């Protein structure tokens, strides 16, 4: 009898054709954004007044009145139905980490029973999905289970599968945020205000500052047939067992190598879909691990860029099916090889077209650059625990602190020249010598930055937060994460820091200190106070752990501990002061993260228990019985004890080894179940998570160890689950 594993391998061997992809045109620019109700289309479908109102709303956040909303809705419907759309939905980011939608047909029936297409301003602007099953962390009782979705005009509507999708925020009956978008928009707003008023020191023509985001999305592809034969992958997104493949990433021959034909077809297919939806995908390449890949777009305004990332993940999942692939966004699908991240390239841009993290050509523009650079470093220093909390999850915990992309110590890398320069600013210019000469000297130093940054060779892949010439790259974000989490923290921390900066500078100006000197003096103070977060060396090294400890930086690998930063006094004060999230909302988010973690570990423990007891042990025993039978048969034909010993001793040794491993698996699975039972009766999830993290979770690796040993012993013919070499090299 053939195992499901062999059936899956047979299926792949039979399936040779690569699906045909049809592109709307040879040129991407011909169809880019064709399924988006963007500004050019609005201009075509809306009255002049309505169009003006939308643009104003996008630029200033101004409210759209009901009459205009009706007009916009009508134009949107006309465009969407003209493209064959039959349904519409509000599309939002609940705290599950996925996006949500509930479709309604455009259809209405009049009194005489005639049907017609309808969609008005009310349906566009606000909806009330019952939505009581979304995580809310105690924010909603069942008697007030209503949630409201409200249109975000800054992210244009789009059509997928004949459904018009309208990006919205999602809030409770009482106005508390139940999603990622609401606080993201608030944080962007806070940052805009704070940053614009700082920019005015240098350039009065700047009236708006927005955060930009360019994400790099890593993912794995696994053949669908093999995926379906691995219940652990299906239920948890990662492999809970599997011995390392003889060859995996050690030759580094996958990274940037030519993309396998079947994978390339898949990439082209989802890219075309993405381009139709206005997602500016640009880059594609093989990553380090076998079957690991990456894509990246051109950066955009952060809110839109994040919507696009969420949308792309959905499209990638859907398109994968057509190509008989499953796409894995889990941060660590395979033990022993690289996991996946989602690097967040983050910067600030002005309405005058300046990138605030790009050094300019004049001393003045460089002082502007330095102002933002130093304030960001200071903000990251102050709130590094919060930043870590936003990227911690059951999945990303496998990467954090495990000698992979991000160590669990948050530090900032600048590159040696810029680092030296900050050191100079801090040390070389004594406070008391505030003469013109000194400040000109310093200005000379600052004007050297562009030259310094031309030397872009030093990149530090071991830093979780690295400056890369004209932006910061937050490399520690997990591949499955909604970028909004870390972005909300970064934006808010920086907004808060810039407000402080403005106050400090204004105080000096009031004392008649020249503006540039005031700015420099304050920056010097910040450089000194944030110094400990800067690190240029190897973030994976043991020495750094020691050094970081000396510097007083936290190194938190535990999820239950890391999450606590969501509700620390600093975090609550920070978010409340800047009107991004209140204490209640933060507590709810904290609880949701904890519950999610518990549930993920619980599911992993359950499925591992099932596989261990019902798949692995029976298989191992079957093989053991084959060996026992063969030893018995040898005994029956060989009379000489010495000869028998020589022939059968290794077989008997294997029989014993199998016994040892199966016994351990069986004992530990039972122990793991007992630990789960103990944890499950703990009412308070804040306490329950500790049991799951420290008592249940360790069994996952311990049990796995013995299963992986058995994989090397048991006859390949009967091993039930696809092996790593099969999962990683079928493409
Ligand atoms: P890497 O060399 O790190 O692989 P890429 O050239 O692939 O970088 O770019 C990574 C991402 O950084 C892209 O999405 C790119 O658009 C983005 N990026 C570039 N400049 C900015 C910026 N000013 N703000 C935000 N993202 C940016
Ligand atoms: Mg990069």
């Amino acid at each position: 009898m053939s195992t499901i594993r062999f059936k899956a391998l047979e299926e792949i061997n039979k399936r040779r054709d690569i699906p045909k992809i049809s592109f709307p045109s040879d040129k991407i620019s011909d169809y880019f954004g064709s399924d988006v109700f963007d500004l050019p289309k609005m201009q075509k479908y809306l009255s002049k007044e309505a169009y003006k109102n939308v643009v104003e709303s996008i630029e200033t956040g101004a409210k759209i009145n009901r009459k205009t909303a009706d007009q916009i809705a009508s134009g949107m419907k006309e465009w969407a139905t003209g493209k064959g759309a039959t349904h519409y939905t509000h599309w939002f980011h609940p705290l599950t980490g996925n996006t949500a939608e509930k479709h309604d047909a455009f259809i209405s029936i009049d009194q005489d029973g005639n049907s017609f297409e309808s969609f008005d301003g009310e349906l566009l602007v606000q909806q009330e999905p019952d939505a009581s099953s979304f995580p809310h962390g105690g924010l909603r009782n069942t008697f007030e289970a209503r949630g409201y979705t409200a249109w975000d005009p800054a992210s244009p509507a789009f059509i997928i599968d004949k459904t018009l999708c309208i990006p919205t925020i999602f809030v409770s009956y009482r106005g508390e945020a139940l999603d990622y978008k609401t606080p993201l928009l608030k944080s962007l707003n806070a940052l805009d205000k704070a940053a614009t008023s700082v920019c005015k020191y240098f350039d009065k023509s700047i009236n708006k500052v927005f955060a930009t985001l360019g994400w790099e999305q890593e993912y794995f592809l696994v053949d669908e047939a093999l995926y379906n034969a691995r219940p652990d992958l299906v239920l948890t997104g990662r492999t809970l067992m599997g011995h390392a493949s003889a060859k995996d990433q050690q030759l580094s021959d996958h990274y940037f190598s030519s993309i396998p034909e079947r994978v390339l077809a898949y990439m082209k297919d989802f890219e075309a879909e993405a381009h139709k939806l206005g997602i500016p995908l640009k880059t594609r390449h093989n990553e380090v691990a076998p079957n690991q890949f990456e894509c990246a777009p051109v950066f955009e305004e952060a809110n839109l860029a994040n919507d696009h990332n969420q949308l792309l993940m959905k499209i990638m999942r859907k398109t994968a099916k057509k190509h008989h692939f499953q796409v894995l966004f889990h941060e660590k699908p395979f033990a022993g090889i690289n996991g996946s991240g989602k690097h967040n390239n983050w910067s600030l841009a002005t309405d005058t077209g300046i990138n605030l993290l790009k050094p300019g050509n004049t001393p003045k523009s460089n002082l502007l650059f330095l102002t933002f650079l130093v304030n960001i470093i200071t903000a990251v220093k102050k709130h590094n625990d919060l930043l870590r909390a936003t990227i911690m999850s059951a999945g990303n915990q496998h990467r954090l602190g495990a000698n992979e992309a991000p160590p669990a110590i948050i530090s900032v890398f600048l590159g040696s020249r810029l680092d030296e320069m900050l050191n100079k600013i801090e040390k070389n210019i004594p406070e008391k010598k505030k003469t013109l000469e000194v400040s000109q000297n310093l200005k000379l130093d600052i004007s050297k930055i562009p030259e310094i940054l031309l030397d872009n060779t030093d990149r530090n892949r071991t830093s979780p937060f690295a400056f890369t010439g004209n932006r910061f790259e937050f490399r520690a974000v997990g591949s499955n994460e909604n970028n909004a989490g870390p972005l909300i923290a970064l934006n808010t921390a920086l907004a808060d820091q810039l407000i402080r900066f403005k106050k400090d500078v204004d105080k000096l100006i009031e004392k008649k200190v020249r503006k540039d000197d005031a700015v420099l003096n304050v920056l010097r103070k910040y450089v000194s106070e944030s110094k400990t977060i800067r690190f240029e060396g190897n973030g994976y090294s043991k020495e750094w752990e020691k050094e970081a400890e000396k510097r007083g930086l936290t190194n938190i690998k535990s999820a239950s501990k890391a999450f606590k930063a969501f509700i620390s006094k600093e975090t609550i004060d920070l978010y409340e002061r800047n009107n991004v999230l209140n204490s209640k909302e933060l507590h709810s988010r904290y609880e949701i993260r904890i519950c999610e973690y518990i549930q993920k570990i619980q599911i992993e423990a359950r499925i591992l228990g099932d596989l261990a007891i019902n798949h692995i042990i029976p298989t191992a025993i079957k093989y053991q019985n084959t060996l026992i039978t063969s030893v018995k048969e040898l005994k029956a034909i060989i009379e000489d004890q010495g000869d028998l010993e020589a022939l059968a001793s290794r077989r008997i040794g294997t029989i014993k080894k199998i016994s040892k491993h199966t016994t351990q698996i069986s004992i530990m699975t039972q122990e793991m179940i007992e630990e789960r039972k103990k944890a499950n009766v703990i009412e308070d999830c804040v306490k329950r998570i500790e049991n799951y993290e420290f008592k249940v979770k360790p069994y996952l690796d311990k049990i796995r160890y013995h299963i992986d040993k058995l994989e090397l012993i048991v006859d390949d013919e009967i091993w039930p689950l696809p092996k790593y070499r099969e999962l990683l090299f079928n493409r």
Side-chain angles (χ1 to χ4, degrees):
M1 197 191 66
S2 176
T3 59
I4 48 170
R5 171 173 155 240
F6 278 106
K7 284 193 187 126
L9 290 168
E10 271 163 34
E11 188 184 323
I12 298 172
N13 281 333
K14 269 190 240 143
R15 183 193 335 117
R16 285 278 162 225
D17 289 346
I18 291 176
K20 288 258 174 319
I21 319 159
S22 63
F23 299 99
S25 158
D26 288 338
K27 263 167 58 196
I28 297 171
S29 58
D30 286 346
Y31 57 91
F32 186 80
S34 59
D35 291 347
V36 184
F37 195 56
D38 50 15
L39 288 175
K41 274 168 218 120
M42 284 194 206
Q43 204 160 17
K44 191 170 155 205
Y45 283 86
L46 305 185
S47 70
K48 262 207 172 91
E49 195 200 337
Y51 177 73
K52 215 177 113 215
N53 207 319
V54 180
V55 173
E56 205 177 280
S57 166
I58 294 170
E59 281 171 5
T60 67
K63 282 224 155 52
I64 287 173
N65 66 39
R66 178 62 207 268
K67 196 170 131 239
T68 315
D70 276 339
Q71 278 192 29
I72 298 167
S74 155
M76 216 184 249
K77 186 197 73 187
E78 198 189 328
W79 168 74
T81 52
K83 284 186 70 77
T86 55
H87 287 65
Y88 64 90
T89 178
H90 278 196
W91 180 82
F92 53 101
H93 306 221
L95 295 167
T96 51
N98 292 318
T99 54
E101 52 203 74
K102 176 180 153 231
H103 299 189
D104 283 302
F106 281 118
I107 201 83
S108 284
I109 314 287
D110 71 10
Q111 282 172 334
D112 304 324
N114 302 311
S115 61
F116 63 102
E117 259 75 37
S118 81
F119 183 61
D120 63 18
E122 200 175 351
L123 295 172
L124 165 66
V125 171
Q126 189 170 310
Q127 299 246 305
E128 192 195 313
D130 171 25
S132 52
S133 294
F134 286 115
H136 55 80
L139 279 183
R140 285 181 300 167
N141 297 316
T142 34
F143 61 87
E144 50 185 35
R146 274 178 295 180
Y148 291 96
T149 52
W151 182 36
D152 166 22
S155 182
F158 53 87
I159 298 174
I160 290 190
D161 289 337
K162 295 185 179 247
T163 301
L164 172 70
C165 300
I166 301 155
T168 57
I169 59 164
F170 180 43
V171 294
S172 79
Y173 177 64
R174 295 177 191 280
E176 286 129 346
L178 295 169
D179 67 343
Y180 280 108
K181 197 188 252 288
T182 307
L184 176 60
L185 291 173
K186 286 183 172 176
S187 73
L188 289 164
N189 196 22
L191 181 56
D192 171 20
K193 271 203 205 134
T196 303
S197 74
V198 166
C199 285
K200 297 271 186 198
Y201 282 140
F202 308 91
D203 183 348
K204 291 260 183 299
S205 68
I206 295 173
N207 287 313
K208 189 175 172 64
V209 173
F210 50 93
T212 51
L213 170 70
W215 38 263
E216 297 164 57
Q217 178 73 57
E218 292 179 337
Y219 59 97
F220 277 87
L221 287 176
V222 172
D223 187 278
E224 155 196 85
L226 295 170
Y227 173 89
N228 288 332
R230 291 282 310 220
D232 48 353
L233 265 184
V234 173
L235 295 192
T236 73
R238 75 175 183 110
T239 53
L240 297 169
M241 59 187 68
H243 194 278
S245 169
K247 171 183 187 290
D248 46 47
Q249 66 185 38
Q250 63 273 64
L251 299 177
S252 294
D253 52 353
H254 190 61
Y255 191 52
F256 281 18
S257 66
S258 71
I259 301 169
E261 194 189 348
R262 186 178 158 206
V263 174
L264 188 59
Y266 163 65
M267 289 176 172
K268 286 180 179 167
D269 205 355
F270 78 69
E271 282 168 3
E273 291 304 311
H275 288 148
K276 281 192 249 171
L277 289 163
I279 304 171
L281 273 186
K282 191 171 171 71
T283 307
R284 53 161 105 111
H285 62 81
N286 288 5
E287 256 306 326
V288 174
N291 270 6
Q292 190 187 27
F293 307 93
E294 179 184 302
C295 61
V298 176
F299 70 93
E300 299 175 281
E301 185 281 320
N303 169 45
L304 182 61
N306 188 42
D307 277 358
H308 280 165
N309 179 239
Q310 288 293 311
L311 188 53
L312 180 74
M313 288 168 81
K314 181 184 152 108
I315 294 165
M316 285 171 72
R317 284 193 190 98
K318 189 178 132 200
T319 311
K321 297 219 168 92
K322 186 168 136 196
H323 294 259
H324 302 288
F325 277 130
Q326 275 285 342
V327 56
L328 308 180
F329 289 119
H330 193 287
E331 284 82 3
K332 193 74 180 176
F334 302 98
I337 55 173
N338 278 18
S340 299
K342 176 146 58 194
H343 303 170
N344 275 205
N345 294 273
W346 174 78
S347 187
L348 302 171
T350 67
D351 57 344
T352 57
I354 300 172
N355 174 359
L356 293 171
L357 289 179
K358 188 169 184 236
N361 299 317
T362 61
K364 192 169 135 190
S365 58
N366 277 329
L367 195 55
L368 178 65
F369 159 75
L370 212 54
T371 294
F372 280 90
L373 183 84
V374 171
N375 275 292
I376 289 172
I377 299 168
T378 312
V380 170
K381 158 76 177 31
K382 204 185 274 174
H383 297 288
N384 69 84
D385 282 337
L386 170 62
L387 282 177
R388 184 192 303 103
T390 64
I391 51 161
M392 178 58 87
S393 65
N396 212 24
Q397 189 178 24
H398 293 286
R399 301 171 70 228
L400 288 170
N403 259 16
E404 201 177 300
I409 309 161
I410 302 286
S411 65
V412 178
F413 169 84
L414 291 179
S416 54
R417 320 276 295 262
L418 205 49
D419 186 60
E420 269 166 36
M421 164 145 196
L422 291 197
N423 287 340
K424 262 193 207 157
I425 289 180
E426 189 200 355
K427 285 186 204 128
N428 289 5
I429 294 94
E431 280 283 351
K432 41 189 178 339
K433 269 175 47 191
K434 253 178 280 160
T435 62
L436 189 66
E437 189 203 20
V438 170
S439 68
Q440 267 173 353
N441 257 341
L442 189 55
K443 273 184 196 165
L444 264 181
D445 254 353
I446 295 169
S447 66
K448 281 184 196 152
I449 300 177
E451 181 197 326
I452 286 169
L453 292 174
L454 280 179
D455 173 26
N456 220 352
T457 43
D458 59 345
R459 284 230 165 175
N460 189 331
R461 298 195 154 268
T462 68
S463 173
F465 198 83
F467 186 70
T468 52
N470 60 0
R471 60 189 189 265
F472 274 100
E473 184 171 348
F474 193 13
R475 302 174 57 86
V477 183
S479 48
N480 207 12
E481 192 65 60
N482 187 313
N483 302 303
L487 282 177
I488 295 163
L490 277 173
N491 296 339
T492 312
L494 179 58
D496 197 63
Q497 174 57 33
L498 289 169
I499 291 169
R500 178 180 162 222
F501 172 75
K502 178 96 183 7
K503 272 192 204 143
D504 286 352
V505 173
D506 283 351
K507 254 189 247 161
L508 291 180
I509 292 176
E510 267 168 39
K511 288 185 198 154
K512 304 280 184 271
V513 177
R514 274 184 51 226
K515 192 174 69 186
D516 286 2
D517 289 335
V519 167
L520 269 175
N521 281 343
V522 174
L523 290 181
R524 185 177 308 123
K525 184 176 85 177
Y526 293 169
V527 169
S528 162
E529 86 179 42
S530 63
K531 193 162 72 175
T532 53
I533 198 91
R534 275 160 47 206
F535 180 62
E536 298 292 304
N538 177 3
Y540 298 165
S541 66
K542 279 274 164 258
E543 293 76 49
W544 171 228
E545 290 205 10
K546 278 188 217 139
E547 164 73 15
E549 199 183 335
K550 262 195 239 152
R551 295 187 188 187
L553 294 176
T554 49
N555 178 9
I556 303 175
K557 295 175 189 173
S558 148
S560 55
K561 285 201 188 101
F563 289 144
K564 291 205 165 94
F566 275 121
I567 49 160
S568 69
K569 179 159 179 344
E570 289 87 37
T571 299
I572 294 174
D573 286 351
L574 169 75
Y575 279 131
E576 290 204 327
R577 211 168 33 232
N578 292 283
N579 192 25
V580 172
L581 286 166
N582 63 32
S583 168
K584 213 169 145 194
E585 289 169 317
L586 281 163
H587 276 91
S588 88
R589 263 149 227 262
Y590 172 60
E591 205 172 293
I592 289 167
R593 288 300 267 221
I594 286 183
C595 290
E596 185 195 53
Y597 183 91
I598 293 173
Q599 281 153 2
K600 292 218 161 141
I601 304 294
Q602 186 178 43
I603 294 168
E604 289 184 354
R606 282 178 177 165
I607 188 66
L608 182 65
D610 173 12
L611 289 174
I613 302 302
N614 304 319
H615 295 61
I616 303 301
I617 292 186
T619 305
I621 290 177
K622 197 189 279 176
Y623 182 56
Q624 196 180 33
N625 285 341
T626 313
L627 293 178
I628 291 170
T629 310
S630 91
V631 173
K632 275 192 195 148
E633 281 168 0
L634 279 178
K635 238 186 196 161
I637 54 168
I638 299 172
E639 278 167 17
D640 183 273
Q641 195 56 33
D643 286 353
L644 184 66
E645 191 76 0
L647 272 170
S649 70
R650 295 192 75 83
R651 260 171 248 192
I652 293 167
T654 307
I655 291 167
K656 284 183 186 159
K657 268 192 208 157
I658 293 175
S659 279
K660 189 185 91 189
H661 293 305
T662 50
T663 308
Q664 284 303 315
I665 291 170
S666 160
I667 291 171
M668 288 198 272
T669 304
Q670 195 50 44
E671 285 172 0
M672 179 171 73
I673 291 170
E674 294 306 321
E675 286 298 345
R676 263 192 354 248
K677 280 188 191 155
K678 273 192 239 163
N680 290 342
V681 295
I682 302 172
E683 285 264 328
D684 181 359
C685 64
V686 176
K687 296 206 182 88
R688 199 179 334 137
I689 187 177
E690 288 179 7
N691 277 53
Y692 265 97
E693 183 173 19
F694 301 118
K695 297 274 164 63
V696 178
K697 187 165 162 275
Y699 279 107
L700 297 173
D701 284 343
K702 287 198 245 173
I703 296 169
R704 174 193 188 131
Y705 170 83
H706 293 283
I707 295 178
D708 291 356
K709 287 281 176 211
L710 283 174
E711 188 187 315
L712 292 185
I713 298 172
V714 172
D715 180 4
D716 185 68
E717 278 288 314
I718 60 169
W719 191 257
L721 302 175
K723 297 183 172 180
Y724 265 29
R725 63 165 186 271
E726 291 150 354
L727 293 165
L728 291 170
F729 289 94
N730 269 293
R731 56 182 81 137

